[in-house]
Amino acid sequence: MYIDDIQAEMTCLDGTPQIVNETVSCALVNGNNLLGPVVGNFCTELAIKKAKEAGIGWVVANGSNHYGIAGYYSIKICDEGLLGMSFTNTSPLQVPTRARAPTLGTNPITLAAPGKEGDAFVLDMATSTAPIGKVEIHDRKQIPIPETWGVDSHGEVTTDPKRVLNGGGLLPLGGAQETGGYKGYGLAMMVEIFCGILGDASYGPNVRKWREPGRIANLGQCFVAINPDAFAPGFRDRMSDLMDHCRGLEPAAGYDRVLVAGDPERAHMQECDENGGIPYPPHLIENMNKLASTLGVEPLKTV
């Protein structure tokens, strides 16, 4: 996706994000249509700097592009001993409660909060019940989707992935109105306000559709760093105490233990470390190595 945008000249390869407006704790950044991770790292470093100086750093960017994993930036902030949050708006795939047409993105919410001895609470979640990729997988496998995932072109809940992909859209987190989907809709709107509206970027239905050629994305993104030492002392102790309490709860039938946000990912990272690498399907490695050859970079090393 990133390579395609660069080759189509929909994303700028060279340049630097620019601070447009700034106070001691806030900033508006023009990403100058650079790659999303370039904009994301610039804004994250700026938010960290402001949080260490003023207690909080709130940075909003416009003119950005897809920036990868939202939680990456929150974790980067957390590694500095701060609370980190990151938000981005995305292509309109989500149908608002009571509506028919996709208008909002999957608009992720992330928070990373440091505990003791390297432990951390790491939340990274979409505001839709499921990503569009999972619907596509179910379609290829010709199996139904859960009722909370999507609607057809009439706004009716459906378990047929084709109806979601052909004129329908994703449901907000929680599903339909009767199961609390209006809450996910509200959270998606909150992210849109932080990103597209606050930053004067594209927003809602104006955001470029997924993989739409010939149009600049102009995504809005938001990065927040908070210094817990600016508030009550002992934050990390309390954070670890709460996480450990939850982990120590008696699990419900069918589960071996209770987890907190970030635990599954830490377990997978440990597994990758023990195995000496990240497992990928052979066809994906082959495709990535073909791309590496085209770009003149080193291929993936396998073990």
Side-chain angles (χ1 to χ4, degrees):
M1 178 176 63
Y2 302 121
I3 301 300
D4 289 343
D5 273 353
I6 290 173
Q7 291 177 339
E9 298 184 347
M10 288 296 103
T11 300
C12 295
L13 182 59
D14 299 310
T16 304
Q18 177 185 3
I19 300 174
V20 177
N21 192 26
E22 185 176 22
T23 69
V24 65
S25 60
C26 302
L28 172 65
V29 172
N30 183 345
N32 288 324
N33 198 32
L34 293 163
L35 287 166
V38 175
V39 180
N41 281 321
F42 179 92
C43 293
T44 297
E45 294 292 344
L46 182 58
I48 290 171
K49 178 176 181 293
K50 289 182 176 297
K52 289 183 176 181
E53 293 174 352
I56 185 170
W58 190 295
V59 179
V60 176
N62 58 33
S64 190
N65 289 280
H66 190 286
Y67 72 173
I69 302 170
Y72 166 80
Y73 306 98
S74 295
I75 293 171
K76 188 171 182 177
I77 295 170
C78 185
D79 287 343
E80 295 292 325
L82 310 170
L83 282 77
M85 292 186 283
S86 172
F87 312 89
T88 182
N89 61 9
T90 67
S91 300
L93 296 168
Q94 183 180 155
V95 179
T97 304
R98 299 188 176 194
R100 302 185 184 202
T103 301
L104 300 169
T106 55
N107 294 12
I109 292 173
T110 72
L111 167 65
K116 295 190 301 182
E117 299 174 357
D119 198 6
F121 173 90
V122 183
L123 175 70
D124 185 348
M125 53 171 265
T127 53
S128 60
T129 303
I132 195 68
K134 284 191 175 182
V135 178
E136 292 172 337
I137 290 172
H138 279 64
D139 183 44
R140 286 195 293 270
K141 292 182 177 179
Q142 296 184 335
I143 56 177
I145 59 174
E147 290 187 347
T148 55
W149 282 19
V151 295
D152 62 18
S153 59
H154 301 290
E156 299 292 335
V157 173
T158 180
T159 59
D160 183 350
K162 288 190 184 302
R163 291 178 179 267
V164 175
L165 298 172
N166 298 319
L170 300 174
L171 276 167
L173 183 65
Q177 176 170 300
E178 294 75 16
T179 53
Y182 57 89
K183 297 177 182 179
Y185 169 33
L187 289 173
M189 285 285 285
M190 181 190 76
V191 174
E192 199 63 71
I193 292 166
F194 285 167
C195 299
I197 303 296
L198 194 60
D200 191 24
S202 294
Y203 57 87
N206 305 316
V207 177
R208 182 179 73 177
K209 291 182 173 58
W210 180 244
R211 296 175 180 170
E212 178 185 354
R215 187 177 163 201
I216 291 173
N218 187 25
L219 295 184
Q221 289 152 359
C222 179
F223 307 83
V224 182
I226 301 171
N227 186 351
D229 295 336
F231 300 90
F235 174 87
R236 294 162 186 79
D237 291 338
R238 294 191 298 276
M239 189 72 248
S240 285
D241 180 62
L242 178 58
M243 290 191 291
D244 290 342
H245 176 86
C246 291
R247 289 167 177 149
L249 293 170
E250 181 181 357
Y255 297 96
D256 59 347
R257 59 196 175 104
V258 177
L259 306 174
V260 299
D263 283 349
E265 292 77 13
R266 274 186 288 268
H268 185 253
M269 290 168 64
Q270 182 177 349
E271 181 182 348
C272 290
D273 289 341
E274 292 171 354
N275 292 335
I278 303 172
Y280 287 111
H283 73 276
L284 181 56
I285 294 176
E286 181 181 349
N287 289 336
M288 287 193 289
N289 283 340
K290 285 180 180 178
L291 178 60
S293 177
T294 301
L295 298 175
V297 299
E298 288 188 16
L300 293 174
K301 296 179 180 179
T302 56
V303 294

